[in-house]
Amino acid sequence: MVENLDKVKDIIARTNRIPVWSLPTAFLGIIGLGYFFTFYDISDIGLAMPAIDQQFNLHGSIILFIALSVGLIGYAIGSYLIGSLADVFGRYRSMILTMALTAIGSLGDALSFNVPELTIFRFITGIGLGADLNLVSIYITEFAPAAVRGKITVLTFLIGIFGQAVTPFIGYFLVPAFPTGWRWLFGIGAIIAFIAVFLRTELPESPRWLATKGHNLEKAEKVLEMMEATAKKKIGELPEPHPENVVVEEPKFPTLYLFKKPYTGRMVLLIAVWFLWYIGNYAFLGDAASLLESIGFSEAAAILYIAIGAIIGYPAGALIMLYTSDKYERKHVIFAATVVWFLGMISMATRMTDLLYFGSFLGAMGLGMYLQVAYTFTAENYPTRARSSGFGITDGIGHGGGALGAILLPILVATYSWAFGFTFIGITGLVAGLLILIGGTKVSRRNLEDISE
């Protein structure tokens, strides 16, 4: 039984009535810095791989691809385990833990001198990254107003997406030029992560989570009063809350919520979506530079192909979603993103010089359009008591597709052809979009509790 049920409903209703972003604007930058590191790290391993391959005398060995994939395994484990802790102990503490793990892991990546060491630290980095991407998405979703939830989440993502956009250029100037360039690439990521740990201590706990736990309502009130005061400075008086419309579920172990209607069906659908999407996502980000080098491009030229597409494509995709993710139903714009991705991979499949640039651009734009809006969509589909656990299971198992894709794409290219490999990862992304379009829930401009019903 929920204790202080009327008070819990009142706090959630007061949170739902706030129509604007009600935390300090600087907090968007702090949250975005975590995203910056996440996407920086997703890109840096693929850019470092050619140099690691040479220095560790692996010569394209599958062991190197395993070193990449083991990070994704850690990602899956961390996303669920720390995500579950966040549903029990709170978003704030867990977000400090996750960024500390990523900082330690990235520093270890930079100091690794063999594949076993690199594999261990990629696993640690993966645990932190998986959980952090989960928690940042959950945190923003629980603070952002329903009418502009998509816009707010994309704003923070836009800060982070520059991590994926600028990383290829940092790699371009470091990796080919210096024997230790790949180490500096990881080291820069570690510095960013340690800064993010310090800045995150300023963030408040989610009042929505505090209220559903029921035992820390005074703290929830204090955070909420700060949010209401900030909102009133922006727009004046706030709308009346409607606690009578709030439904609060009975407390139990977070994961158990996911095995009841409608969450079980949503979870199965979203696991399939993310598994298919990540096959191509991580294959492209992790393998494209090495595969370009294997067909005759220099190390610098291979990285440059990815970098030019990224610096334009990622921000362009995010900016498109900034103006469309709330205006249109989210599952429709997610599908549109997968169409852009598919066209990008088909262009890459031609191996024609100009179309490789165009394909890299479209692939990056599709990623910039898809990722944060799909993360938000995933978070919206679960109840507050199990939102982080649900996201963790969905995204964690989904990353099995990323681990598979990172190993599979080089095999498909070697066994069949370049065109077959890149067409395949284009199709897996498009099918992910079709699944959301056909089976996804309508979420745009709806309160989280309404979507949960």
Side-chain angles (χ1 to χ4, degrees):
M1 183 176 179
V2 180
E3 296 182 10
N4 301 308
L5 180 59
D6 290 342
K7 190 66 175 176
V8 170
K9 287 186 174 185
D10 181 64
I11 290 171
I12 294 174
R14 286 167 59 193
T15 304
N16 286 338
R17 70 170 173 163
I18 299 175
V20 295
W21 178 253
S22 53
L23 294 179
T25 303
F27 285 8
L28 290 175
I30 293 173
I31 297 165
L33 184 61
Y35 267 137
F36 184 97
F37 174 81
T38 296
F39 293 113
Y40 179 97
D41 186 85
I42 287 171
S43 296
D44 64 9
I45 183 64
L47 300 172
M49 279 175 64
I52 296 171
D53 191 0
Q54 293 177 7
Q55 290 184 25
F56 290 1
N57 296 314
L58 298 173
H59 306 299
S61 168
I62 197 68
I63 295 174
L64 188 57
F65 292 104
I66 292 174
L68 170 62
S69 296
V70 77
L72 300 182
I73 295 169
Y75 190 119
I77 294 171
S79 186
Y80 174 68
L81 288 182
I82 300 180
S84 295
L85 290 176
D87 279 332
V88 177
F89 298 107
R91 309 337 187 183
Y92 171 80
R93 295 174 184 173
S94 300
M95 286 174 68
I96 299 295
L97 172 62
T98 57
M99 191 51 63
L101 285 172
T102 56
I104 293 167
S106 195
L107 181 61
D109 295 338
L111 299 176
S112 296
F113 285 94
N114 52 54
V115 169
E117 289 181 8
L118 181 63
T119 300
I120 291 169
F121 284 109
R122 288 308 299 168
F123 182 72
I124 294 172
T125 307
I127 289 174
L129 278 178
D132 199 67
L133 192 56
N134 173 344
L135 292 172
V136 168
S137 298
I138 299 302
Y139 189 84
I140 301 170
T141 296
E142 293 186 358
F143 274 100
V148 291
R149 191 181 300 126
K151 183 177 182 178
I152 295 296
T153 55
V154 173
L155 273 173
T156 56
F157 177 75
L158 191 58
I159 298 170
I161 206 67
F162 279 103
Q164 212 159 22
V166 304
T167 307
F169 283 95
I170 297 173
Y172 175 75
F173 288 109
L174 286 176
V175 177
F178 306 100
T180 58
W182 66 271
R183 297 184 184 278
W184 284 104
L185 188 63
F186 287 127
I188 290 170
I191 292 170
I192 295 169
F194 279 116
I195 292 172
V197 172
F198 173 74
L199 292 176
R200 281 190 179 183
T201 59
E202 298 296 315
L203 298 175
E205 182 57 89
S206 162
R208 195 184 299 271
W209 175 83
L210 287 167
T212 58
K213 295 302 291 182
H215 61 261
N216 210 335
L217 298 180
E218 289 185 7
K219 188 172 182 179
E221 284 268 16
K222 288 181 181 179
V223 176
L224 185 54
E225 287 169 2
M226 178 268 290
M227 293 169 60
E228 289 171 333
T230 302
K232 286 178 181 178
K233 288 179 182 178
K234 292 181 178 181
I235 63 169
E237 288 303 310
L238 299 176
E240 286 296 316
H242 294 283
E244 68 276 5
N245 296 332
V246 175
V247 176
V248 180
E249 295 186 325
E250 292 295 318
K252 55 187 174 183
F253 182 70
T255 302
L256 295 178
Y257 287 99
L258 306 177
F259 294 97
K260 56 177 285 189
K261 292 182 179 181
Y263 308 123
T264 303
R266 294 179 184 182
M267 182 170 62
V268 171
L269 172 71
L270 290 169
I271 286 171
V273 165
W274 282 109
F275 190 93
L276 289 166
W277 175 258
Y278 281 140
I279 286 175
N281 187 169
Y282 279 91
F284 178 69
L285 293 174
D287 298 331
S290 294
L291 289 172
L292 285 168
E293 191 177 350
S294 73
I295 60 172
F297 290 87
S298 69
E299 183 179 50
I303 293 176
L304 189 61
Y305 267 98
I306 306 303
I308 290 176
I311 196 66
I312 305 171
Y314 289 128
L319 284 171
I320 289 170
M321 288 307 195
L322 191 63
Y323 296 102
T324 60
S325 61
D326 288 314
K327 186 175 181 180
Y328 304 102
E329 180 54 48
R330 257 188 278 291
K331 67 177 184 176
H332 295 157
V333 294
I334 290 171
F335 173 69
T338 65
V339 173
V340 173
W341 164 264
F342 175 74
L343 294 174
M345 294 305 100
I346 291 297
S347 299
M348 290 287 294
T350 66
R351 271 180 64 170
M352 297 171 60
T353 301
D354 290 341
L355 286 179
L356 283 173
Y357 280 117
F358 186 59
S360 176
F361 163 73
L362 285 181
M365 187 167 78
L367 285 166
M369 293 173 66
Y370 180 95
L371 285 172
Q372 183 51 47
V373 178
Y375 289 142
T376 302
F377 180 86
T378 301
E380 289 170 319
N381 269 270
Y382 295 116
T384 298
R385 289 186 184 275
R387 184 164 290 120
S388 189
S389 302
F391 192 107
I393 291 176
T394 301
D395 196 52
I397 296 176
H399 265 83
L404 174 64
I407 296 174
L408 185 61
L409 180 59
I411 294 173
L412 293 178
V413 169
T415 305
Y416 299 102
S417 67
W418 176 279
F420 183 90
F422 279 88
T423 300
F424 176 83
I425 64 173
I427 290 172
T428 58
L430 184 62
V431 173
L434 281 169
L435 288 176
I436 282 187
L437 181 66
I438 296 168
T441 306
K442 291 185 177 181
V443 297
S444 293
R445 300 177 297 279
R446 297 177 65 193
N447 288 329
L448 294 177
E449 286 69 31
D450 295 336
I451 299 169
S452 294
E453 292 180 7

